[in-house]
């Protein structure tokens, strides 16, 4: 039975293979560590922005899977560097020889699977951010006024900090604030006729105004911030409501956060792709080094050529061997086979 993808390795190519694997393993450890750190950064970002993401948004699964993939890649790189260095010394190689087999299994099945899954999530999940942010930001705007409602008392502070930090206003623009009551009823004067008229004119009994919170104001504006009566062209001299970006943040928070998170996911996807490529090269090289040294008894500078391979035989041959072994195992032994009964002899015909 011929091995799969055999490769003849004389002495010098074996040494160069071990030295190259040592370098590749450290690169893999570096890529795994960077993936680990960047996944943690994305996880922290999502934790801070969890108020503005719908709970059903699956995007939060990406950094968690990437964290696990980065940890496995980091471990694979460190163990691969130690193994490839120890393989150059016959006295140091035996302890690492026992670790190499499990490392190849865990690195291929576990690490490779996690990297493929994380890379797939990095390519597929950013599309779910649009819906998740749309729903989450809409809920945050509605609960902006609920500063004394349990579970929503921090919504105002978080949304103000979001608009100030990311230079955005509303979900898609400043006019989103016109459609929600963002002033708490506690601060409304029930004796004010304007307040009563506004509440009674609304079907849902909400106090709606054409104004925005202070966090929508652009501090770079040369004039004092205008927050109220933004739809009235005659309310503020020298203010053109068709150009609110001179006074308020022009962008909505949906587009800003969508671009920010998709950029992080794109960078993480590139890092996962590089890590996957390095891990594939390291695992393939370690497998060839392992099988080549097995033919020399674990001594890399042994005499003569040796052959490295991926599998000792083809898939078809391995299945046939397993089938034959299974058939032999279930076939009864010769001494256990019951003797065949002789056919009855016919007697002489009766007269």
């Amino acid at each position: 039975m011929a091995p799969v993808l055999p490769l003849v390795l004389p002495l010098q190519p074996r040494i160069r293979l071990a030295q190259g694997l040592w370098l590749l393993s450290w690169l893999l450890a570096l890529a795994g560590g960077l993936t680990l750190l960047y996944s943690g950064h994305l996880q922290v970002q999502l934790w801070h922005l969890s108020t503005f993401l719908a709970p059903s948004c699956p995007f939060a699964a990406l950094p968690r899977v990437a964290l696990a993939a980065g940890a496995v890649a980091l471990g694979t790189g460190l163990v691969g560097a130690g193994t490839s260095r120890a393989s150059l010394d016959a006295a140091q190689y035996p302890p690492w020889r026992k670790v190499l087999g499990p490392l190849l299994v865990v690195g291929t099945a576990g690490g490779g699977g996690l990297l493929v899954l994380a890379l797939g999530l990095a390519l597929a999940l950013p599309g779910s951010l649009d819906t998740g942010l749309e729903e989450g930001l809409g809920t945050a705007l509605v609960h902006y006024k609920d500063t004394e409602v349990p579970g929503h008392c921090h919504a105002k502070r978080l949304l103000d900090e979001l608009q100030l930090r990311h230079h955005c206003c509303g979900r898609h623009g400043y006019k989103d604030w016109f459609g929600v009551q963002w002033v708490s009823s506690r601060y409304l004067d029930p004796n004010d006729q304007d307040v009563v008229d506004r509440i009674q004119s609304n079907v849902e009994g909400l106090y709606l105004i054409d104004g925005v919170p202070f966090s929508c104001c652009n501090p770079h504006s040369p004039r004092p911030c205008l927050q109220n009566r933004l739809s009235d062209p005659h309310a503020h001299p020298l203010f053109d409501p068709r150009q609110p970006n001179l006074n308020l943040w022009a962008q909505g928070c949906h587009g800003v956060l969508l671009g920010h998170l998709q950029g992080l996911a794109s960078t993480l996807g590139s890092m996962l792709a590089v890590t996957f490529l390095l891990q594939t090269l390291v695992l393939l090289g370690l497998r060839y080094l392992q099988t080549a040294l097995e033919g020399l008894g674990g001594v890399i500078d042994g005499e003569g050529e040796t052959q490295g391979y991926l599998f000792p035989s083809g898939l078809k041959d391995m299945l046939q061997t397993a089938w034959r072994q299974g058939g032999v195992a279930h076939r009864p032994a010769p001494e256990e086979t019951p003797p065949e009964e002789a056919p009855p002899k016919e007697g002489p015909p009766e007269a």
Side-chain angles (χ1 to χ4, degrees):
M1 295 180 289
V4 178
L5 297 178
L7 182 64
V8 177
L9 293 172
L11 175 59
Q12 289 302 319
R14 290 197 301 269
I15 295 176
R16 286 195 294 270
L17 174 61
Q19 293 172 342
L21 279 174
W22 180 82
L23 178 59
L24 279 177
S25 297
W26 279 115
L27 291 177
L28 174 61
L30 177 61
L34 291 176
T35 301
L36 199 64
L37 292 175
Y38 203 82
S39 303
H41 172 65
L42 179 57
Q43 182 67 46
V44 172
Q45 291 288 308
L46 289 179
W47 180 73
H48 285 298
L49 298 173
S50 59
T51 305
F52 314 111
L53 267 176
S56 58
C57 183
F59 186 78
L62 171 59
R64 299 169 189 169
V65 177
L67 277 170
V72 174
L74 176 61
T76 303
L78 293 176
V79 178
T83 304
S84 56
R85 182 178 179 85
S87 66
L88 297 172
D89 188 347
Q92 298 181 5
Y93 182 65
W96 292 93
R97 186 178 181 180
K98 301 175 183 179
V99 180
L100 191 52
L103 171 68
L104 292 173
V105 174
V106 173
T108 303
L114 285 172
L115 282 170
V116 170
L117 177 59
L119 189 57
L121 292 177
L123 295 175
L125 286 185
S128 66
L129 274 174
D130 192 352
T131 305
L133 287 171
E134 187 78 21
E135 180 181 343
L137 284 170
T139 304
L141 262 68
V142 170
H143 292 296
Y144 182 87
K145 67 181 186 304
D146 300 331
T147 55
E148 297 180 355
V149 177
H152 303 293
C153 55
H154 298 293
K156 178 183 181 301
R157 176 181 60 83
L158 293 174
L159 194 48
D160 282 335
E161 291 176 352
L162 174 73
Q163 294 187 144
L164 289 171
R165 182 184 301 114
H166 291 278
H167 297 178
C168 60
C169 181
R171 182 165 46 179
H172 297 288
Y174 74 99
K175 289 187 178 180
D176 291 331
W177 288 106
F178 298 177
V180 297
Q181 179 180 339
W182 55 272
V183 179
S184 175
S185 299
R186 178 184 179 184
Y187 304 106
L188 297 177
D189 184 2
N191 299 320
D192 189 334
Q193 190 59 40
D194 180 65
V195 172
V196 175
D197 292 342
R198 286 182 181 274
I199 294 176
Q200 290 180 350
S201 64
N202 186 267
V203 177
E204 301 177 0
L206 300 176
Y207 177 72
L208 304 182
I209 59 174
D210 54 347
V212 296
F214 77 97
S215 54
C216 283
C217 294
N218 184 353
H220 303 292
S221 174
R223 66 176 300 161
C225 182
L226 303 177
Q227 299 175 242
N228 300 312
R229 302 177 64 186
L230 296 176
S231 300
D232 187 355
H234 305 292
H236 307 287
L238 304 179
F239 173 70
D240 187 356
R242 294 171 298 180
Q243 297 180 341
N245 57 317
L246 300 178
N247 182 68
L248 307 174
W249 299 123
Q251 290 183 298
C253 294
H254 179 275
V256 173
L257 291 182
L258 184 63
H260 174 63
L261 293 177
Q262 284 185 341
L264 292 177
S266 176
T267 303
L268 180 59
S270 301
M271 297 176 68
L272 288 169
V274 173
T275 304
F276 177 76
L277 176 62
L278 288 173
Q279 183 154 321
T280 302
L281 293 175
V282 168
L283 291 175
L284 286 174
L286 287 175
R287 176 57 177 169
Y288 275 105
L289 182 65
Q290 178 197 34
T291 52
L293 293 183
E294 290 298 323
L296 297 172
V299 181
I300 195 170
D301 54 355
E303 296 295 334
E305 297 180 346
T306 185
Q307 183 174 268
Y309 51 82
L310 291 183
F311 300 103
S313 59
L315 180 60
K316 181 179 179 181
D317 294 335
M318 287 191 295
L319 292 176
Q320 289 178 349
T321 302
W323 177 263
R324 293 196 200 100
Q325 291 176 350
V328 171
H330 290 86
R331 188 181 304 160
E335 59 272 17
E336 296 176 355
T337 305
E340 297 182 359
E341 296 182 0
K345 296 181 179 180
E346 297 182 357
E350 296 181 357

